[in-house]
Amino acid sequence: MRASVRQDLLSKCDERWRDATLDHFAYGPSPDGAPATFKQRYFVCDTHWTPAPDGKPGPIFFYFGNEADVLLYLNNTGLMWETAPDVGALLVFAEHRYYGESKPFPSDEIRDHMRYLTTEQAMADYAGLISELELEFDPQNQAPIIGFGGSYGGMLASWFRMKYPHLVDGVIAGSAPIWSFMGERPAVDGGYFAKGVTFDASESGGSAAPCKDNVRAFWGVLRDLASSSGGRATIAEEMRFCEAAEMSGEDDWVGVRDWVAGAWDTMAMGNFPYPSGYVINGMGTLPAFPVRAACENLRWGDMTDRELLRGMADAAGVFYNHSGDEACFDWRADVNPETSEVLDFWGYQYCTEMFQIFSKDGVTDMYWEDAWDPAAVSAGCEEAWGVTPRPMWATQEWGGRDLRACSNIVLSNGLLDPWHGGGVLLDVNIEHSVVSLIIPEGAHHLDLMFTHELDPLSVKQVRMQEIEYIQQWIDEVRGDHKAPSAAAAAAPRSKEGAVLTGRVSTAPGSFKERQRVWAS
């Protein structure tokens, strides 16, 4: 990861380590002999930290790290870096336990001690860190603390504001699908993700018109050819599989299917208007609008079976061969080792408490029929990790759609991001600043990224509104409360049902594909 870090940013930060409590919710020795603490990494960047005119300390911007090396977020969260000089903010980027270098156990032992990987434990880590930062930098408790997070980090940020409102004064939560769990009222349409990817691959989403129909046709061709040795040889030849990755039996088609689907799922999340490596953990670069680039390989009507295989290999290659250096494909491998590790550990989190609903129907989306079957998914979790999910836990713990008692949470979503269908797409409580900001041309938390000359107008407007809310929260802490400005009030928020236009709804079928979806 360090090879991809922006040294101009890293040079402004101090890398620090703290002793974080391994189990915040138990007393006495651990039943498995685990240590009482582990080393948690975080970065403090004080270049822009300056006091207010009245001498009170500047605000603290705190990034809630999610399922990757924290340097990925330090490297990409431009909203924090670009806003800091205007408000005199101290920046803190905290790493999530079990990810990056904040691993409580050696690599050869960690899978035997996964029980301590939960959102509640991670947030308790952050609560402890913020308390320590206050003692060090703000002993009089005068500095406003503003939280930031994207994707799972956005979920953590919003939930942290609900659970620890005394430690953070407001949060910007980008692309946070907090309404994607069982028990929601009304229930979430589990088809939202697959429909979101399909929209990106459609003419309405800017892609070649025949693309989504060719993708839909590909799965049947793959399944049928895989039923014979000759057909499997054809697949391997046309899709340029490495010799060591040839299909050994007809059941291997499911693995190939999920490998291809994983490319489409992740490219849709990273469907940014400029080249970016964010969704591949900073290890390389995808082209601008990668879904559109992939669809150029499937832009013809009436493609033959062999043409579909070759076209799909080239389409998946936009993702798996983004460097252009791969002579052949190994469908059993992920895009890079960093992503593989993230997928592995996220699989455990999914199988315990992050049990989100996913489905496909092969009609309103470009995938295959795969109805949501929690029993089957649970069986896969038991086989992979020896754990049984708690299907209702997230809704019980965080309240589902009932956010009436919350305050100071801005939830942004881009309509090119397939996760938006599991997010908050309507204002909950404008008076208490629990609001939804919509970016029609935005992919996965585009608003949190650095500004770019190719940014669409909608993301520029949303960033302005987010900065307005940040300033409002700072003023409230400093005793200079004021209502949101006219600009903030005019934010492009959603109306209930306004964005539910057929592109909101399905996703990953097999257990492995469900893991791939979170490779961002």
Side-chain angles (χ1 to χ4, degrees):
M1 176 60 68
R2 283 191 180 275
S4 65
V5 166
R6 283 183 52 177
Q7 293 300 325
D8 61 321
L9 300 180
L10 192 58
S11 65
K12 300 175 182 178
C13 305
D14 292 327
E15 183 181 41
R16 293 182 169 199
W17 299 85
R18 63 184 292 267
D19 291 321
T21 299
L22 181 63
D23 189 348
H24 295 275
F25 310 110
Y27 299 88
S30 169
D32 54 4
T37 63
F38 71 98
K39 293 295 183 181
Q40 181 185 19
R41 182 171 61 152
Y42 65 102
F43 288 84
V44 173
C45 316
D46 64 0
T47 300
H48 303 297
W49 196 40
T50 54
D54 61 3
K56 293 180 180 178
I60 297 173
F61 285 1
F62 188 95
Y63 189 92
F64 292 91
N66 35 311
E67 77 285 22
D69 189 306
V70 71
L71 290 173
L72 180 68
Y73 312 116
L74 185 154
N75 212 36
N76 288 278
T77 312
L79 182 65
M80 292 175 63
W81 284 104
E82 293 176 346
T83 307
D86 295 331
V87 298
L90 176 77
L91 305 185
V92 179
F93 295 88
E95 191 161 69
H96 193 297
R97 57 170 56 203
Y98 282 76
Y99 294 102
E101 297 185 18
S102 297
K103 293 183 170 64
F105 301 92
S107 58
D108 60 344
E109 300 177 13
I110 195 166
R111 288 179 64 91
D112 295 327
H113 300 278
M114 298 298 287
R115 58 182 297 185
Y116 305 104
L117 176 55
T118 70
T119 58
E120 292 82 5
Q121 297 280 10
M123 285 194 289
D125 292 340
Y126 296 146
L129 174 54
I130 290 174
S131 297
E132 293 167 12
L133 292 169
E134 287 183 313
L135 287 174
E136 178 179 358
F137 293 102
D138 182 31
Q140 302 301 317
N141 195 27
Q142 295 177 320
I145 300 177
I146 310 300
F148 298 79
S151 192
Y152 170 49
M155 302 171 82
L156 291 172
S158 59
W159 290 338
F160 193 92
R161 172 62 185 169
M162 298 176 198
K163 187 175 182 67
Y164 300 98
H166 58 293
L167 292 178
V168 66
D169 298 298
V171 297
I172 305 295
S175 297
I178 61 173
W179 286 356
S180 57
F181 297 93
M182 294 179 65
E184 307 282 2
R185 299 178 184 176
V188 62
D189 174 3
Y192 70 85
F193 192 95
K195 290 180 183 176
V197 179
T198 302
F199 174 79
D200 285 4
S202 71
E203 189 172 18
S204 297
S207 296
C211 180
K212 63 182 178 63
D213 291 331
N214 284 327
V215 173
R216 186 184 290 115
F218 167 79
W219 315 116
V221 170
L222 178 68
R223 180 195 61 231
D224 292 344
L225 286 173
S227 63
S228 68
S229 59
R232 292 192 292 275
T234 298
I235 293 170
E237 175 189 355
E238 298 296 348
M239 297 193 72
R240 304 190 302 282
F241 287 165
C242 302
E243 184 175 348
E246 291 184 0
M247 302 169 70
S248 59
E250 63 178 296
D251 291 340
D252 280 350
W253 82 273
V254 174
V256 175
R257 179 197 70 183
D258 291 349
W259 177 78
V260 171
W264 289 103
D265 294 343
T266 313
M267 287 190 292
M269 286 186 275
N271 212 22
F272 302 124
Y274 47 77
S276 171
Y278 182 77
V279 297
I280 51 175
N281 282 289
M283 309 304 290
T285 305
L286 298 182
F289 293 115
V291 173
R292 299 178 190 180
C295 278
E296 284 301 296
N297 300 287
L298 297 164
R299 67 182 183 274
W300 301 278
D302 300 320
M303 295 180 72
T304 66
D305 289 356
R306 285 182 176 270
E307 288 172 341
L308 275 176
L309 294 171
R310 288 195 297 271
M312 189 60 80
D314 290 336
V318 172
F319 180 68
Y320 291 112
N321 190 24
H322 54 83
S323 67
D325 297 335
E326 302 295 332
C328 60
F329 292 116
D330 183 351
W331 55 269
R332 299 165 303 181
D334 293 311
V335 67
N336 55 52
E338 291 76 15
T339 297
S340 182
E341 181 180 79
V342 167
L343 293 173
D344 188 26
F345 286 5
W346 181 260
Y348 177 84
Q349 288 194 258
Y350 179 84
C351 281
T352 49
E353 57 185 0
M354 302 300 290
F355 198 61
Q356 294 163 296
I357 298 176
F358 295 119
S359 64
K360 304 178 180 68
D361 61 18
V363 177
T364 60
D365 59 63
M366 66 182 189
Y367 291 88
W368 55 91
E369 185 177 2
D370 185 15
W372 170 243
D373 186 346
V377 178
S378 295
C381 289
E382 291 165 2
E383 180 180 356
W385 288 102
V387 296
T388 302
R390 295 180 180 177
M392 304 294 291
W393 179 252
T395 303
Q396 292 171 3
E397 181 76 351
W398 309 115
R401 296 182 185 271
D402 190 351
L403 304 179
R404 292 172 297 172
C406 304
S407 65
N408 294 6
I409 304 174
V410 170
L411 298 130
S412 61
N413 282 282
L415 299 189
L416 294 184
D417 177 18
W419 283 110
H420 78 265
V424 179
L425 302 177
L426 67 158
D427 293 324
V428 176
N429 191 331
I430 297 176
E431 180 182 359
H432 294 288
S433 300
V434 183
V435 298
S436 168
L437 303 181
I438 302 300
I439 310 165
E441 303 91 356
H444 207 44
H445 53 80
L446 176 63
D447 51 316
L448 300 188
M449 304 298 183
F450 283 91
T451 56
H452 194 284
E453 62 182 357
L454 297 178
D455 281 335
L457 178 60
S458 61
V459 76
K460 296 177 183 179
Q461 293 173 331
V462 162
R463 286 193 188 116
M464 288 176 59
Q465 317 319 318
E466 290 169 340
I467 293 170
E468 290 275 354
Y469 279 107
I470 291 168
Q471 187 63 62
Q472 175 192 337
W473 300 333
I474 292 173
D475 293 340
E476 288 175 353
V477 173
R478 290 177 174 163
D480 184 20
H481 173 73
K482 59 183 179 182
S485 71
R493 308 186 188 104
S494 66
K495 302 293 184 184
E496 186 171 6
V499 295
L500 307 180
T501 56
R503 43 181 160 172
V504 181
S505 260
T506 211
S510 74
F511 175 74
K512 187 167 183 62
E513 193 201 348
R514 293 174 201 277
Q515 289 177 290
R516 292 180 188 273
V517 163
W518 275 94
S520 62

